[in-house]
Amino acid sequence: MSFLDRRTLSILAEMTGTATHPWINCRLENAEGALIALGEHSEKRRALGKAAREWMLKYWNDRDLIFHYTDAYTFLLEREGVPFPTRFDPGKLQTYWETKARQDLAWHIRRLRYRLRNNKLSTLFAGWFSS
């Protein structure tokens, strides 16, 4: 179980060559229900586990995937301090929204909800009222 946003899913698909994945894609706030359901249905758990294992054997090849990581480290070593090139055209608003802005906004909303739920309003708004 994990939460994979669209950005992560697209990179995973690029790296593995498939749009499928073995994860139960679930946000933390929904994990309890998913865990209870899995706990109550051992046959579903076994089927999901078997399918995940088959996916890993078919698509998660360390020898192939290592090149993505070595390319990234090579880029970092050869261009110290230079950011990675943008993977999308930030001038195309729809693409920017789909690949970055929506995910960032969702993260900020989740963070705000967490802080509000845990009465951390004083830390949330502390910088807003300082002189």
Side-chain angles (χ1 to χ4, degrees):
M1 288 181 70
S2 183
F3 175 66
L4 307 173
D5 63 18
R6 286 182 183 213
R7 213 177 334 185
T8 304
L9 288 170
S10 69
I11 291 169
L12 182 63
E14 182 181 319
M15 290 175 66
T16 61
T18 181
T20 65
H21 62 83
W23 288 270
I24 296 171
N25 198 7
C26 177
R27 292 182 185 274
L28 182 59
E29 54 266 26
N30 305 113
E32 181 180 10
L35 287 168
I36 290 170
L38 288 171
E40 292 174 347
H41 301 283
S42 60
E43 68 283 348
K44 287 182 183 178
R45 241 186 1 262
R46 279 192 284 280
L48 287 169
K50 182 180 179 199
R53 172 113 175 106
E54 290 170 358
W55 186 94
M56 292 298 285
L57 291 171
K58 184 174 182 178
Y59 297 108
W60 198 264
N61 182 324
D62 291 342
R63 290 176 189 241
D64 293 338
L65 294 174
I66 196 70
F67 292 109
H68 294 285
Y69 295 99
T70 55
D71 287 348
Y73 284 117
T74 299
F75 180 92
L76 290 171
L77 290 171
E78 292 176 353
R79 297 169 191 86
E80 187 176 338
V82 176
F84 280 101
T86 304
R87 298 173 61 96
F88 55 88
D89 182 354
K92 294 183 179 176
L93 293 179
Q94 180 66 29
T95 304
Y96 180 75
W97 172 252
E98 289 294 328
T99 57
K100 183 166 184 353
R102 179 167 58 184
Q103 307 307 321
D104 291 347
L105 179 60
W107 184 87
H108 288 293
I109 290 170
R110 289 179 75 224
R111 184 172 178 233
L112 176 62
R113 285 182 181 156
Y114 171 81
R115 286 184 170 181
L116 290 172
R117 259 196 320 268
N118 291 294
N119 284 330
K120 294 186 178 182
L121 289 175
S122 60
T123 57
L124 179 64
F125 296 110
W128 292 19
F129 301 108
S130 59
S131 50

